[in-house]
Amino acid sequence: MRGSFTLRYALLTLVLAVFAYLYGLDSRFAPKNGDEYPYMHIVRMTAESGSWLPLQSQMDGIKNTKPPLIFWQGIASTHWASQWSLESLRWPSVLYTALTALLLFVSVRRFSGKTQTGFLAALVWLAFFATYRYGRPFLTDPPEVFWLSLPFFALLYWGKSAFESKLLFPLFAGACLGFALFAKSFAYIVPAAFALGLYYWHWRKSSIPQTLIRDLYKLVLLAIIALGIFSLWFALDPNPEAVWREFVLGENAGKFSARSSNYVLDFIRGGDSIWMLILTTLANAGLFIFVLVSTLQQCWRERRFMSDEERLLLLLIAAFFLVFSLPSQRSGRYLLPVMPAFAALIALHWERLPLWGFRIALLLQAIVLGLLIWLGANLQFSAFMGGPGLWHYGLQHWVLMVLSALLVIAGLIRRKQCKAFALMGCFLVYCALTSSLSPLEGQLGRFSAETIERVQGKDVWIPCDYRAKDEEYRLVLPGAQLHGYLAKDAGDVEGLTKAYPIVAVHTPIGTTPALCDSCQILGQRMEMRARHSDEEIKAMLLGKIGEHLFVTEYLLATPAANSAANPTTNPDLLNVKDVCR
């Protein structure tokens, strides 16, 4: 059968998925969201306080930014910050992601009656870029997605016994949703309860009276249980007024205020419009975005012949989409809990899906791999010819790149393997991305042990382009007292050396900073820049990659170390305290 996904392909893809999610788990350059470092900061400060509550932070306005479950998880996994590493913080996230994948496999296998379909549902969800990006780092999304998904897929697994349960399932669902709220936000009770109400409504043959009579109390009961679990935060926190002010009013209610001047105009245009919500939700699928589009088209064409399970999955998606279209701040990230439902739909329609969506996925993979191979070859050739930097890949990197490219090409050529190879290709692209940045995880991107020892306990100023950036630097300069200055000033060596006693500065690759007579280089490393001008992007496309994509970071000891006043001729630097906070 065209596009058949055999058990052999399933097991091979599973091995690739496991490797992709574990490879580079401790990488500073792993795809992630900017929330990870602020969360790390709260975990570290709370652990240092010696108490689970209240949550601690040195950042203004970022303390009770999320319920405490995720921070307690970080405290536990790092043993009260005594084993501080990205790997220690992230492995529970990967565990939650694995449990969600297992949940998908078990439930879809049960109601589809096919083991391969169960594997497909789990693997397709893992192949989504949003799952890879948000399902590995230290973020609230992995526990949120798992606990929110559990009651819905439990209904699909147990069927009648769960729907007709008068007490046991509502208690179970309430507890699951309570943990989800305790991980993310109480606001998720709205879409979750709405979706469960639609599930019961469909089970009662679309009879609203029957749903109200037989199932309304279940929804009320599970909502009370879920909100009761969330409310433990107020009961346990010594300062519940701060929780109400910072989290309930600031973090949640603020999302309903108009982003500009008119809620209706925001709804239909701009970056927070309903159209952007649709686009970003589809974009959660990453390389499989057009596979998802073709699946939705297939669902529409077969709408009169859909199974009950497919209708329930679509009701779940519709409920969350409708609810999260109401706040003025709209983002596809809010729809991450329904991506497992999308994956299940793709798996159920897999054999009947047209090849064009998979071929586009393969073409996108070919483009990404081509760019990574071109980038890596340029950097390594430049280093070989004596250019700036010491970029070097081992043989295993090039073997990975060649095998990945060959698989993608084979998928484009061979019709029977097109779908399976497109799925495998997603995981190979993720591995290739991690491998391409691996030199920065070695000595090239780290300060020497001698440098780290020389700054132990000392105040060090670092460039900061987003809040809690210093948490990343704590991984490369453990033991130093870190403070932030504006990253845009990182090239102002003269001004920085006059302002700060020990400071990290940036220079183009292959150059050394012009130092004052009393300045001393303590250490250096290679770092990847995060933001570039249009001219720099054009130059990189023309092959000047090392000069613009990367910089050399020098750690300097300056005359300011011996000056109590630390005078500076740069008024901008004079006014900057610690921008990481």
Side-chain angles (χ1 to χ4, degrees), residues 370-382 388 391 393 437 508-509 526-529 532 536-551:
L371 288 173
L372 292 175
I373 291 172
W374 175 73
L375 173 64
N378 270 275
L379 289 170
Q380 184 145 337
F381 180 75
S382 176
W391 202 272
Y393 290 116
L437 294 173
I509 294 293
M526 191 174 179
E527 178 68 325
M528 185 170 67
R529 290 180 57 194
H532 304 87
E536 290 170 337
I537 294 174
K538 292 177 182 178
M540 285 191 289
L541 292 175
L542 293 175
K544 297 181 179 180
I545 302 168
E547 294 90 330
H548 298 291
L549 185 58
F550 303 100
V551 293

Side-chain angles (χ1 to χ4, degrees), residues 60-83:
D60 293 336
I62 300 183
K63 181 181 290 185
N64 295 304
T65 184
K66 286 293 182 289
L69 186 61
I70 182 67
F71 307 115
W72 292 349
Q73 171 188 303
I75 291 173
S77 67
T78 61
H79 298 273
W80 290 87
S82 64
Q83 299 178 11

Side-chain angles (χ1 to χ4, degrees), residues 307-323:
S307 65
D308 285 337
E309 289 80 11
E310 290 175 73
R311 294 180 188 278
L312 291 173
L313 291 170
L314 288 170
L315 286 174
L316 170 61
I317 294 168
F320 272 72
F321 182 84
L322 179 61
V323 170

Side-chain angles (χ1 to χ4, degrees), residues 3-21 116 119-120 122-129 132 285 287-288 291 346 350 357-359 361-366 368-369 400-412 414 416-433:
S4 179
F5 192 74
T6 64
L7 189 58
R8 179 183 62 181
Y9 283 139
L11 294 176
L12 179 57
T13 309
L14 178 61
V15 171
L16 287 176
V18 171
F19 181 76
Y21 272 75
Q116 288 91 332
F119 270 118
L120 269 173
L123 293 170
V124 168
W125 179 67
L126 291 173
F128 289 162
F129 182 69
Y132 183 75
L287 298 168
F288 258 36
V291 176
I346 292 175
W350 184 268
F358 296 91
R359 284 174 172 158
L362 287 164
L363 286 173
L364 293 174
Q365 293 165 14
V368 174
L369 289 171
L400 171 63
M401 303 305 286
V402 170
L403 290 179
S404 301
L406 289 176
L407 180 133
V408 169
I409 293 171
L412 289 168
R414 300 173 65 90
K416 290 184 178 180
Q417 283 77 36
C418 176
K419 295 181 180 180
F421 285 5
L423 184 56
M424 294 180 191
C426 291
F427 300 111
L428 288 173
V429 166
Y430 301 152
C431 292
L433 178 62

